[in-house]
Amino acid sequence: MFRQFPKIAIVFSILICAGCTYAPYYANRAAGGGTDAAEGEQHDLPYTAHDSFLLTEDVLRGEGILFEVKPEDKLVTLWKDADVGPGVLGSLVGKDPRYRYEIEVVPLTARSSRVVVNVRVEDIADEDIPKYNATTRLNLFAKIDALAAKFPPSGGTPKEGGVNYALLPNEDLKGLAKRATGNEDNWRQIAQDNGLKSPTDGANLPSIWVRNSLLSESQKGAGTSN
């Protein structure tokens, strides 16, 4: 048995050296789903892509988050250290778990847009990634909505060819359509024009635009004309 010991030692040494070559890979796998992973969320807004992008920037600044602006309404936040440890192997090879947000605002219609936020992580376990989502970590979308309600974007409402209406208490788009156009079914066109999806989506908006072609003669010139 002792005669075989040198051979075992040589094989063990080779395995250690081989492990040195692949140490970063094993460290990353031990820490999570590889060196790099991403998870996305999205939120629709009844504003132009530009206005939604400005709202997103303002919220990030308010949270003290540094970011770089990219072309085409995109931005990337700077890397931030995660509050989870790198694990034993990760520590040995100097791996530090970290994350950042990659944000893009895409237009849906002329007056609505979608904010897409991907959280990019390095050396964070797959099961821990949801902890760093923008909604979980920052409550980002709720803060964008709150900021928009407090300071409505000027470009979010059409300025020509229609009338802006404020919804009455307990009134939805069906009620507005009936009041402004005489036909409740016109709520669908009103919703589409304002980047909304359901009769109740406009409850938090300062005004709803109704195109002139839908308005009844008695309502043309009513509301806030544009």
Side-chain angles (χ1 to χ4, degrees):
M1 178 177 180
F2 289 102
R3 292 177 183 177
Q4 296 178 354
F5 182 79
K7 293 181 181 179
I8 295 174
I10 291 172
V11 173
F12 185 72
S13 298
I14 293 173
L15 290 174
I16 291 178
C17 291
C20 291
T21 303
Y22 295 99
Y25 172 79
Y26 286 118
N28 293 329
R29 294 296 297 176
T35 57
D36 183 85
E39 187 166 292
E41 300 174 286
Q42 63 185 36
H43 183 57
D44 294 350
L45 292 168
Y47 307 112
T48 65
H50 179 67
D51 283 340
S52 295
F53 188 75
L54 294 179
L55 286 168
T56 303
E57 285 186 303
D58 288 343
V59 169
L60 292 176
R61 290 191 185 99
E63 295 296 310
I65 297 175
L66 301 179
F67 57 86
E68 297 177 356
V69 176
K70 304 294 184 180
E72 300 180 352
D73 288 330
K74 298 179 182 178
L75 63 85
V76 177
T77 67
L78 302 189
W79 286 105
K80 186 175 178 62
D81 290 337
D83 50 10
V84 295
V88 176
L89 291 177
S91 299
L92 292 175
V93 297
K95 290 291 183 180
D96 294 316
R98 60 181 187 167
Y99 67 97
R100 73 180 184 186
Y101 297 109
E102 300 167 354
I103 302 174
E104 179 180 6
V105 181
V106 295
L108 297 178
T109 68
R111 291 177 290 275
S112 66
S113 55
R114 173 171 295 161
V115 181
V116 180
V117 183
N118 291 316
V119 57
R120 178 76 57 181
V121 303
E122 288 187 353
D123 300 288
I124 293 177
D126 291 343
E127 61 268 22
D128 288 332
I129 293 177
K131 299 177 184 178
Y132 297 92
N133 283 339
T135 52
T136 304
R137 206 75 176 177
L138 303 175
N139 201 18
L140 180 63
F141 297 144
K143 289 177 179 177
I144 291 175
D145 288 341
L147 182 62
K150 188 175 182 180
F151 302 105
S154 59
T157 303
K159 298 184 181 303
E160 296 181 355
V163 174
N164 292 327
Y165 286 86
L167 290 175
L168 301 177
N170 300 317
E171 184 179 52
D172 60 9
L173 295 186
K174 289 184 178 181
L176 173 61
K178 179 68 174 178
R179 173 163 62 97
T181 73
N183 186 347
E184 183 181 272
D185 292 338
N186 285 330
W187 78 265
R188 292 182 177 83
Q189 184 62 59
I190 295 172
Q192 181 179 336
D193 288 342
N194 289 271
L196 305 174
K197 295 181 179 179
S198 76
T200 59
D201 282 353
N204 295 323
L205 296 181
S207 63
I208 302 293
W209 182 76
V210 181
R211 60 173 66 196
N212 274 336
S213 60
L214 294 179
L215 295 175
S216 61
E217 289 299 323
S218 62
Q219 288 296 326
K220 290 183 179 179
T224 304
S225 299
N226 291 300

